[in-house]
């Protein structure tokens, strides 16, 4: 059996109330009570129908639900994007460190090669200097050494004298080379 307070479909509530009234009330108090009960049931039915018919309110409620779900999805996407951004940033930093390390290594290799090349050039220059020194006649070497020492004491006059010595050394060298290689005097080749 159904309870009288149970919600009833709208069309059936009116039928039920009419059946009770037709079934007979056992007096005016009973009839008033049945009328009151039927009014309550009809009021509930009207409210249910009004709620179902209120499309704007239902649309607003559905919109609010959808908005909440979209907001939650947006936050989830935002969190995932932030995580992906951090991963990319970490990978980029790591790659930067690797490139920096390789650049430093390459810089050291270039620096080592440059130092080695510098030593080779310095050694060759030293050997060439010794070869020239060994081939310069003793009087010229002595004159140059004296000129350098005097230049430290009196730089201006020694520069002039040094220039003369260099010219004389050049002439002597030229003359000396002319005799050794050709057996002729240097002036005969002019």
């Amino acid at each position: 059996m159904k309870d009288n307070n149970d919600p009833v479909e709208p069309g059936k509530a009116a039928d039920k109330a009419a059946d009770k009234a037709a079934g007979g009330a056992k007096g005016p108090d009973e009839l008033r009570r049945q009328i009151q009960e039927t009014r309550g049931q009809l009021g509930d039915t009207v409210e249910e129908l009004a709620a179902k018919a209120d499309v704007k309110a239902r649309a607003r409620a559905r919109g609010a639900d959808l908005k909440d779900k979209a907001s939650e999805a947006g936050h989830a996407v935002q969190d995932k994007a932030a995580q992906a951004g951090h991963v990319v940033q970490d990978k980029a930093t790591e790659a930067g460190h690797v490139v920096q390390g390789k650049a430093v290594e390459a810089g050291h290799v270039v620096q080592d090669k440059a130092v080695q090349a510098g030593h080779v050039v310095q050694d060759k220059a030293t050997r060439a200097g010794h070869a020239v020194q060994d081939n310069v006649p003793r009087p010229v070497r002595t004159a140059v050494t004296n000129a350098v020492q005097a230049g430290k004491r009196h730089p201006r006059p020694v520069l002039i004298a040094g220039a003369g010595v260099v010219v004389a050394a050049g002439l002597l060298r030229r003359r000396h080379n002319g005799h050794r290689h050709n057996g002729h005097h240097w002036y005969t080749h002019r």
Side-chain angles (χ1 to χ4, degrees):
M1 249 175 104
K2 260 189 165 182
D3 185 16
N4 289 339
N5 294 330
D6 288 342
V8 180
E9 292 181 33
K12 292 184 180 178
D15 292 340
K16 190 175 180 183
D19 287 345
K20 280 188 179 182
K26 296 185 178 157
D29 291 333
E30 177 74 24
L31 187 60
R32 283 188 196 115
R33 187 189 59 74
Q34 286 178 355
I35 291 171
Q36 198 64 17
E37 192 176 303
T38 303
R39 282 184 182 159
Q41 289 174 350
L42 285 174
D44 292 341
T45 303
V46 169
E47 284 179 18
E48 288 174 18
L49 286 173
K52 286 182 180 180
D54 191 0
V55 175
K56 276 188 179 179
R58 287 176 53 193
R60 268 190 244 120
R62 179 75 174 139
D65 286 345
L66 291 175
K67 185 178 178 183
D68 289 343
K69 287 180 182 177
S71 178
E72 289 173 9
H75 288 299
V77 168
Q78 189 176 20
D79 290 344
K80 288 193 185 238
Q83 289 173 351
H86 290 303
V87 167
V88 168
Q89 184 179 12
D90 291 345
K91 294 286 184 185
T93 300
E94 185 178 319
H97 289 305
V98 168
V99 169
Q100 184 179 14
K102 295 213 184 251
V104 167
E105 287 175 23
H108 289 306
V109 168
V110 169
Q111 184 179 11
D112 291 345
K113 296 285 183 187
V115 167
Q116 289 173 356
H119 288 306
V120 168
V121 169
Q122 185 179 12
D123 289 344
K124 287 185 180 185
T126 301
R127 284 189 208 128
H130 288 302
V132 169
Q133 184 179 4
D134 291 344
N135 289 328
V136 172
R138 184 174 289 287
V140 173
R141 273 190 287 176
T142 305
V144 169
T145 303
N146 290 340
V148 168
Q149 289 174 352
K152 289 180 183 176
R153 291 187 300 263
H154 308 289
R156 189 174 287 158
V158 172
L159 282 176
I160 296 169
V165 169
V166 169
V167 170
L171 290 175
L172 284 174
R173 178 83 175 150
R174 195 169 180 187
R175 189 175 201 186
H176 180 69
N177 284 341
H179 282 297
R180 188 181 321 167
H181 293 296
N182 298 337
H184 299 282
H185 293 292
W186 65 274
Y187 54 86
T188 59
H189 290 283
R190 287 186 126 185

